[in-house]
Amino acid sequence: MRDIKLLLEAWGGWAATDYSGVSYSHIAAGFRGLITSPPATRPICSDHDGMILDACISRLKKYHPDEHRLLVAHYHYRVSLRALARRLHCADGTLRKQLQTAEGFIEGMLCAMDSRLEFEKRCELSD
């Protein structure tokens, strides 16, 4: 079973790097005050994995744009769900359910593609 949260954390680290070649313009522009400085250590996946995950996340945008914005704000910009809930004036449990929907969509896309990511192999080796 995949640890989709860990994969998305690694994707967020990859997308946040300058050399990823993928740019997310300020999708979270409305959350400008919430974005904090990046932590010193953040998992980063390979370019191969990053492109696969980014394709899945792009597909999410087509079918579930609200969940896409939430996923990008949380994993790419590292905005906490509680901070997002305050900003959007809703319960953090509501956002948690939306994030789970987005994570499930990404996991389903990866299963449908039947792809094995390099980051998963590295995680298995370190266990």
Side-chain angles (χ1 to χ4, degrees):
M1 180 123 180
R2 287 191 161 106
D3 186 353
I4 193 69
K5 291 182 183 297
L6 184 60
L7 283 174
L8 290 171
E9 280 287 331
W11 167 83
W14 173 81
T17 61
D18 292 335
Y19 55 85
S20 70
V22 176
S23 109
Y24 281 85
S25 62
H26 291 339
I27 261 180
F31 307 114
R32 209 169 282 246
L34 299 175
I35 300 172
T36 59
S37 60
T41 57
R42 187 172 180 183
I44 297 175
C45 62
S46 68
D47 287 340
H48 177 263
D49 290 357
M51 294 302 284
I52 290 172
L53 287 166
D54 205 59
C56 295
I57 291 167
S58 295
R59 184 63 59 99
L60 173 68
K61 183 178 182 179
K62 181 178 179 181
Y63 296 107
H64 302 283
D66 292 336
E67 283 83 358
H68 174 265
R69 282 191 294 273
L70 178 63
L71 188 127
V72 170
H74 183 66
Y75 286 108
H76 178 64
Y77 293 110
R78 303 200 59 145
V79 180
S80 72
L81 289 177
R82 191 165 286 178
L84 287 167
R86 274 194 308 267
R87 183 68 166 207
L88 297 171
H89 305 292
C90 66
D92 60 336
T94 303
L95 293 184
R96 243 176 256 294
K97 289 175 190 172
Q98 288 180 340
L99 189 62
Q100 286 176 344
T101 300
E103 292 166 350
F105 183 92
I106 301 301
E107 190 165 5
M109 288 289 301
L110 290 172
C111 287
M113 291 173 23
D114 196 32
S115 62
R116 186 89 169 130
L117 301 176
E118 296 168 11
F119 191 79
E120 292 177 305
K121 293 174 191 172
R122 280 192 300 182
C123 289
E124 285 176 2
L125 292 175
S126 65
D127 286 343

